[in-house]
């Protein structure tokens, strides 16, 4: 939700292109408007526009503000409509102070009232605009820019990452509390951004800032302190991401690239985590780590919630009680936590506000917390007692694809570790499951190579609605496929447990609906009956099942084949087929696939 970026380069350099490129790499965080503020010898020039970054690039063509220091912003609107006025950066009355912000200033109404009474004039409806005016006020009272910035930051309540340039300082000032902020240390320049891909083409040396950090960067120096000005040490580390990871390569969309990256991502997810003698080896979680666990609570949102449902099924198969909670619900109605509750927060970004709040609530109640996340240094990884990384690499498309597969693979390994620790034994099915996980990269590749989703896609355009059904792990796949379909095609789609259709939704099924049925090889005979129920109402059925499932193929109107494998892996392969279906339909409809309307990748507001 909103991306901020900043760069300080040596004098005589021009950071404008760097800022715009950095914003393009953050556009997945919001695309309602964008803007930059660039400082040169004559002051700070701000250019901002409603709409996607191309609109900003056009406007910059006419103005070309050159300078060696600047900040940028891409917005997902929370306070105020997506207009030029509400676009960031926001400035003070004099135009000397320019601020970009990700998050929400919860006490902005009171601060705004106070500042208006003191004679400040506001030009936007945003919460952010109070920040430059506060800095202006404190500078006018004689504080240095840095002290004024600290003082202003100290007045803010809520979640934020802010970055600021002023007309008479060479440095960029920034702070975080609740929203992500990463420092990039380049050869001759420094960067700040909401996420690493923003500056990855310049440097892979980063320091993840923490809540309460205030940072000041120049081209060759950075200084991190707490709000009171005491130095704090944040390790500069090298991230294992390549610049190409954050680029589209030869693909039309990031989503298609990321769907195709799944074999490699899955390979990384399981690499070194299954030993030659068939044991699960999870770095920080040696055998016995979870022996005291009585119940597992999985907390997540959206696609990650579906991965959590998937994990619940695997844990249930192993006899481990597990409950899944939508993190947003957990924040208002938390479940009882006992001494033996393990809370597993599943979050790709590690920055989803609902999930972070639910982690805090669980921890306050005494639960042991574990984040399953893609982002090292993310808030979830730091706030939880432990973190397990899914190693999917950066995911830029707003619709999650490869991270879902990697989450499920890693959660399956975690489930095996927990089950062995709790029961003291190894389930007879484990060998088959681990072997199927090891085969997954190859099986996903085969699925991608042979999929007929593109050829079938035209018949799914313009239908009244699409239903997705499945049972066992096929159920979270049905939910995930429906979410993907509605998210990027803007067409109506719903997912159901296969047996649920006849309890109500069947009333909606007509010959103008399509029903996608997921078969994993477990209880397929029951799902076949559900297929008959919908076909007798005239709805065409597309079955996704193993290539050898002849009975299923015969019962369906269309068939998407997946390689023969363990049911847990079969669900993931079926999901790959359905990702392709959604992608192809959205493409035929000409949708904004990587940046669907109204959405942002990282939802940092509750
Ligand atoms: C859908 C999607 C979202 C996210 C959700 C949680 O394609 O990507 O539903 O899954 O916003 O995000 P994370 O996993 O970052 O907590």
């Amino acid at each position: 939700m909103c991306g901020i970026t900043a760069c300080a380069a040596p004098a005589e350099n021009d950071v404008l292109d760097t800022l715009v490129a950095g914003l393009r790499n953050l556009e997945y965080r919001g695309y309602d408007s964008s803007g930059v503020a660039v400082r040169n010898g004559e002051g700070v020039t701000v250019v901002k526009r409603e709409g996607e970054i191309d609109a900003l690039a056009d406007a910059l063509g006419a103005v070309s503000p050159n300078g060696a220091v600047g900040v940028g912003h891409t917005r997902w609107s929370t306070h105020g409509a997506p207009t030029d006025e509400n676009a960031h950066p926001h400035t003070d009355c004099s135009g000397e102070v320019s601020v970009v912000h990700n998050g929400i200033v919860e006490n902005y109404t009171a601060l705004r009232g106070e500042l208006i009474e003191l004679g400040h004039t506001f030009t936007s409806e945003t919460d952010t605009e109070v920040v430059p005016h506060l800095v202006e006020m404190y500078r006018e009272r004689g504080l240095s820019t840095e002290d004024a910035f600290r003082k202003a930051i100290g007045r803010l309540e809520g979640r934020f990452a802010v970055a600021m340039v002023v007309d008479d300082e060479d440095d960029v000032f920034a702070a975080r509390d609740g929203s992500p902020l990463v420092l990039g240390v380049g050869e001759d320049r420094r960067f700040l951004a909401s996420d690493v891909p923003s500056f990855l083409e310049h440097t892979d040396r980063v320091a993840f800032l923490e809540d309460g950090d205030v940072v000041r960067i120049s081209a060759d120096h950075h200084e991190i302190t707490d709000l009171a000005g005491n130095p704090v040490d944040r390790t500069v580390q090298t991230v294992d991401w390549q610049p190409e990871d954050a680029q589209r390569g030869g693909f039309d969309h990031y989503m298609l690239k990321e769907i195709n990256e799944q074999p490699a991502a899955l390979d990384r997810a399981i690499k070194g985590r299954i030993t030659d003698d068939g044991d699960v080896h999870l770095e920080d979680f040696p055998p016995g780590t979870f022996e005291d666990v009585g119940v597992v609570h999985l907390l997540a949102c959206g696609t990650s919630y579906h991965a959590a449902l998937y994990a619940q099924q695997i844990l249930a198969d192993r006899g481990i009680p597990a409950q899944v909670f939508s993190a947003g619900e957990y924040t208002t109605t938390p479940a009882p936590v006992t001494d033996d509750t393990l809370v597993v927060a599943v979050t790709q970004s590690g920055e989803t506000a609902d999930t972070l709040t639910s982690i805090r609530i669980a921890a306050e109640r005494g639960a042991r917390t574990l984040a399953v996340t893609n982002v090292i240094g993310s808030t979830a990884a730091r706030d939880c007692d432990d973190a397990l990384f899914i190693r999917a690499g950066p995911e830029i498309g707003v619709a999650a694809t490869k991270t879902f597969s990697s989450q499920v693979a890693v959660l399956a390994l975690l489930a095996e570790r927990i089950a062995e620790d709790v029961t003291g034994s190894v389930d007879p099915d484990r060998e088959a499951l681990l072997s199927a996980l090891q085969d997954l990269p190859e099986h996903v590749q085969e699925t991608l190579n042979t999929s007929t989703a593109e050829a079938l896609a035209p018949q799914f355009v313009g239908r009244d609605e699409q239903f997705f059904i499945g049972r066992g792990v096929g159920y979270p796949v049905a939910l995930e496929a429906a979410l993907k379909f509605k998210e990027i095609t803007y067409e109506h789609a719903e997912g159901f447990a296969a047996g649920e259709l006849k309890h109500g939704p069947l009333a909606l099924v007509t010959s103008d609906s399509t029903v996608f049925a997921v078969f994993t090889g477990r209880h397929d005979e029951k799902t076949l009956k559900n297929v008959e129920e919908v076909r007798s109402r005239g709805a065409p059925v597309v079955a996704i099942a193993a290539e050898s499932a002849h009975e299923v193929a015969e019962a369906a109107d269309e068939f998407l084949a997946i390689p023969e494998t363990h049911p847990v892996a079969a669900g993931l392969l079926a999901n790959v087929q359905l990702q392709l279906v959604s992608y192809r339909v959205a493409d035929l409809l000409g949708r904004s696939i990587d940046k669907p309307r109204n959405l942002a990748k990282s939802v940092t507001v509750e």
Side-chain angles (χ1 to χ4, degrees), residues 153-320:
I153 294 300
R155 300 285 311 274
L156 307 182
E157 288 168 17
R159 291 169 180 274
F160 55 82
V162 294
M164 171 181 90
V165 281
V166 293
D167 69 335
D168 53 1
E169 297 273 358
D170 289 333
D171 295 0
V172 177
F173 299 82
R176 74 155 277 177
D177 199 353
S179 296
L181 190 62
V182 194
L183 166 74
V185 181
E187 254 173 40
D188 70 343
R189 60 195 63 198
R190 278 168 169 69
F191 305 85
L192 288 164
S194 302
D195 202 354
V196 176
S198 177
F199 52 70
L200 193 56
E201 63 191 272
H202 301 281
T203 183
D204 56 5
R205 297 186 60 229
V206 309
F208 294 97
L209 301 178
E210 300 198 5
D211 286 349
D213 287 357
V214 175
V215 58
R216 182 174 177 151
I217 60 164
S218 61
D220 59 0
H221 184 70
H222 65 263
E223 192 178 80
I224 308 173
T225 50
D226 63 16
L227 197 54
N230 305 307
V232 289
D233 189 21
R234 302 282 172 244
T235 317
V236 176
Q237 51 188 290
T238 303
V239 287
D240 186 20
W241 289 357
Q242 308 304 317
E244 315 76 85
D245 292 341
Q247 284 153 13
R248 241 184 19 221
F251 290 92
D252 289 343
H253 296 96
Y254 280 109
M255 184 181 176
L256 187 58
K257 174 179 178 245
E258 287 156 5
I259 289 172
N260 278 278
E261 281 173 349
Q262 288 176 110
L266 282 162
D267 192 47
R268 284 195 301 272
I270 56 176
K271 208 183 192 93
R273 289 173 165 172
I274 301 174
T275 64
D276 290 345
D277 39 9
D279 279 337
V280 173
H281 170 80
L282 295 176
E283 310 84 50
D284 297 335
F285 309 94
T289 305
F290 299 110
E291 61 192 4
D292 297 331
V293 170
V295 60
V296 179
H297 286 178
L298 295 135
L299 316 180
C301 299
T303 290
S304 296
Y305 176 78
H306 301 149
L309 284 173
Y310 212 114
Q312 180 193 29
Q313 296 269 351
I314 303 170
L315 284 162
D317 267 357
R318 299 292 187 250
I320 306 298

Side-chain angles (χ1 to χ4, degrees), residues 537-551:
R537 270 80 189 172
V541 171
V542 182
I544 306 95
E547 47 217 357
S548 61
H550 302 300
E551 205 185 340

Side-chain angles (χ1 to χ4, degrees), residues 4-6 70-72 89-90 98-102 131 149 153 161-165 172-175 181 192-193 215:
I4 66 174
T5 191
V71 295
H90 289 286
S98 291
V99 169
V100 291
H101 164 222
N102 165 213
V131 184
F149 182 67
I153 294 300
V162 294
M164 171 181 90
V165 281
V172 177
F173 299 82
L181 190 62
L192 288 164
V215 58

Side-chain angles (χ1 to χ4, degrees), residues 37 65 83 87 110 131 144 150 227 308 359 396 410 460 465 477 562 577 590:
T83 59
V131 184
S144 68
R150 286 183 195 286
L227 197 54
I359 291 170
I396 309 292
V410 171
F460 311 135
E465 63 268 301
V477 170
I562 55 174
Q577 288 282 22

